[in-house]
Amino acid sequence: MKKLVLLLSILYTISSFSQKITEEVFSPKLNENREITIGLPASYLKNTNQKYPLLILLDGDYLFDPFQGALNYGAYWDDLPEVIIVGINQNKNDERTADCATNEISGLPDEKGNQFFEFIGMELVGYLEKKYRIAPFKIIAGHDVTAGFLNFFLYKEKPLFDAYISMSPELPLGMEEHIPSRLNLLDQNIYYYQSTADGDLKKMQDRIKALDKAVKEIKKPSLNYQFDEFKGASHYSLVLHSIPNALYQFFSVYQPISMSEYNEKIAPLSSGYVDYLIKKYETLEKSLSLKMNIRINDFKAIEAAILKNKAFEELDKLADLAKKNYPKSMLSDYELGLMYENMGDLKKAVKAYQTAFQKEEIGDLTKDMMLDKADELKNQ
């Protein structure tokens, strides 16, 4: 009985992270059914107004689980956003070879490769956008032959995807020259990650490194690029190294304020602490198309910097920001109470804490805490 309860507990914990669905989608372009695996975020059914970034995985039959695991782990610690994952399974009758077919002379998708390219861009993404709540930010990922193939989406005048994860790519003809040229011309923000390992074939490494060298010469703020060369890794094990590196590269702006960010960027400021917080979340929305409430811990980090540097008047602006993000909570009145208390206006501080008492608790702020602070100031 204990073993059964433990098993059910484990299964509940896993299912609470995300939902996994396998279905077949008919493609008129391919004239066949294709199997896809869909991972919906744990909050998908609860947060009915929330839209989520989309991650398309080529080689979904073996890349889906490691990507889902990394994303679930990052989302648990609020380091990575929740993402809708869609894996295109390509292990049936060696589909990946036919799917990624290219012309030996032009280096472009050919025969079924062209049909598969159109299936993704003209059918699958549109199908998913109609069925699920998908944010504008879209990622595509692949490994070896599919990693090379996904780069063709950069050849379009306006690429469908914003971010590309190319793990040990087997590059089609001329791609190490074409990709830097395209990246140099594109105006939209592009996130690009590629990797290799000393266990890769030398002829693959040479072309991958040539591509890396050319991309690193591009100096554009709209290009977010990272290259990894893993030592002691094989062509296959590099995948498990690449996945978290790529995700944390793309979503670095999403992460909450860390101790290093606080110590290096916030605490040394002489003013503008609240402006820093506002800009951080504006950048998040602009870069990743994600609109979210400012985290409580980020409010507390800015509050700590204000108190440390005795810029107490900024607590007024922080209170306004708290009211916009959490209008029913006590956070806004608490920040006002802190401001009045530190500026010596104890009467207004007591009133602010008493008002906070009437609002909803949030984070580590409680009604008892507000009463205690008000009573303490009354007795001074």
Side-chain angles (χ1 to χ4, degrees):
M1 184 64 183
K2 288 183 178 180
K3 289 183 179 179
L4 177 59
V5 171
L6 177 60
L7 177 60
L8 291 174
S9 175
I10 292 171
L11 290 174
Y12 174 78
T13 301
I14 293 172
S15 65
S16 69
F17 278 116
S18 58
Q19 306 164 58
K20 187 175 178 180
I21 307 161
T22 299
E23 62 177 79
E24 285 196 345
V25 177
F26 178 73
S27 165
K29 293 290 183 182
L30 292 166
N31 193 32
E32 64 183 17
N33 288 317
R34 293 306 297 258
E35 184 180 83
I36 61 173
T37 303
I38 303 166
L40 295 179
S43 68
Y44 188 83
L45 296 178
K46 180 180 179 182
N47 297 336
T48 55
N49 294 320
Q50 179 70 40
K51 292 185 177 182
Y52 301 85
L54 173 66
L55 169 60
I56 296 285
L57 296 176
L58 308 183
D59 286 319
D61 38 285
Y62 69 86
L63 289 182
F64 187 94
D65 287 339
F67 266 97
Q68 187 179 48
L71 284 162
N72 282 344
Y73 183 84
Y76 180 85
W77 296 108
D78 201 23
D79 274 345
L80 298 173
E82 291 184 299
V83 171
I84 293 176
I85 312 171
V86 177
I88 304 173
N89 299 328
Q90 296 178 271
N91 64 341
K92 183 180 177 182
N93 300 322
D94 197 24
E95 284 176 323
R96 68 198 305 266
T97 301
D99 287 343
C100 300
T102 58
N103 187 285
E104 293 182 359
I105 298 174
S106 69
L108 297 173
D110 196 16
E111 299 179 346
K112 191 178 181 182
N114 188 55
Q115 297 165 1
F116 182 67
F117 181 81
E118 292 182 343
F119 160 65
I120 296 171
M122 300 173 68
E123 295 177 343
L124 180 61
V125 172
Y127 166 80
L128 295 168
E129 287 178 326
K130 289 179 181 178
K131 190 170 183 179
Y132 301 103
R133 299 190 305 276
I134 292 173
F137 191 76
K138 299 178 180 65
I139 311 167
I140 188 167
H143 177 223
D144 63 50
V145 67
T146 63
F149 187 84
L150 63 82
N151 287 295
F152 286 123
F153 286 98
L154 284 169
Y155 287 21
K156 305 292 286 184
E157 184 176 350
K158 184 171 176 56
L160 175 63
F161 296 97
D162 306 277
Y164 300 77
I165 302 176
S166 177
M167 297 177 288
S168 186
E170 185 175 323
L171 300 170
L173 181 69
M175 188 165 275
E176 61 267 51
E177 291 87 26
H178 295 320
I179 291 299
S181 176
R182 291 298 303 145
L183 292 174
N184 204 30
L185 289 173
L186 293 171
D187 292 327
Q188 71 188 73
N189 289 330
I190 294 292
Y191 295 77
Y192 194 89
Y193 175 90
Q194 72 163 340
S195 61
T196 186
D198 54 13
D200 269 339
L201 294 175
K202 188 176 186 305
K203 64 179 182 179
M204 290 181 62
Q205 288 186 54
D206 290 344
R207 297 187 67 200
I208 292 169
K209 289 178 181 179
L211 173 56
D212 169 58
K213 182 180 178 181
V215 175
K216 282 179 177 173
E217 292 175 357
I218 302 172
K219 307 300 180 185
K220 294 177 66 174
S222 59
L223 176 61
N224 184 319
Y225 174 70
Q226 180 174 323
F227 172 73
D228 281 326
E229 181 180 3
F230 299 107
K231 304 299 181 185
S234 70
H235 177 71
Y236 303 100
S237 65
L238 69 80
V239 167
L240 295 179
H241 295 283
S242 301
I243 291 172
N245 285 14
L247 294 174
Y248 274 85
Q249 172 205 347
F250 296 170
F251 294 122
S252 61
V253 68
Y254 174 87
Q255 294 162 28
I257 294 172
S258 62
M259 283 302 299
S260 60
E261 183 179 2
Y262 176 84
N263 291 326
E264 296 170 12
K265 297 182 179 180
I266 300 173
L269 294 173
S270 58
S271 62
Y273 305 101
V274 181
D275 289 338
Y276 180 96
L277 184 60
I278 293 171
K279 186 176 180 181
K280 179 181 176 73
Y281 280 80
E282 285 178 345
T283 302
L284 169 61
E285 183 175 359
K286 182 179 180 181
S287 301
L288 304 178
S289 306
L290 289 174
K291 187 172 178 62
M292 57 186 288
N293 282 341
I294 296 173
R295 299 174 178 91
I296 303 302
N297 286 343
D298 287 351
F299 269 105
K300 301 301 288 183
I302 297 302
E303 175 195 303
I306 290 172
L307 296 176
K308 179 181 179 181
N309 292 282
K310 299 183 179 179
F312 305 128
E313 66 281 355
E314 285 210 31
L315 288 167
D316 189 16
K317 192 172 183 178
L318 191 63
D320 285 341
L321 195 59
K323 193 170 186 178
K324 291 176 182 177
N325 281 262
Y326 302 98
K328 295 181 180 180
S329 82
M330 59 178 60
L331 182 60
S332 177
D333 295 291
Y334 167 74
E335 299 296 355
L336 285 177
L338 271 184
M339 181 183 71
Y340 292 131
E341 180 182 351
N342 282 278
M343 295 180 75
D345 194 336
L346 302 188
K347 185 176 181 181
K348 286 186 177 179
V350 168
K351 185 177 180 181
Y353 290 136
Q354 288 174 335
T355 302
F357 170 79
Q358 302 172 42
K359 305 287 182 65
E360 295 178 1
E361 296 181 346
I362 186 169
D364 60 355
L365 303 180
T366 65
K367 292 180 178 292
D368 287 343
M369 179 182 175
M370 297 305 114
L371 279 182
D372 290 344
K373 290 190 75 68
D375 291 341
E376 181 183 341
L377 295 180
K378 284 179 184 178
N379 295 326
Q380 289 187 16

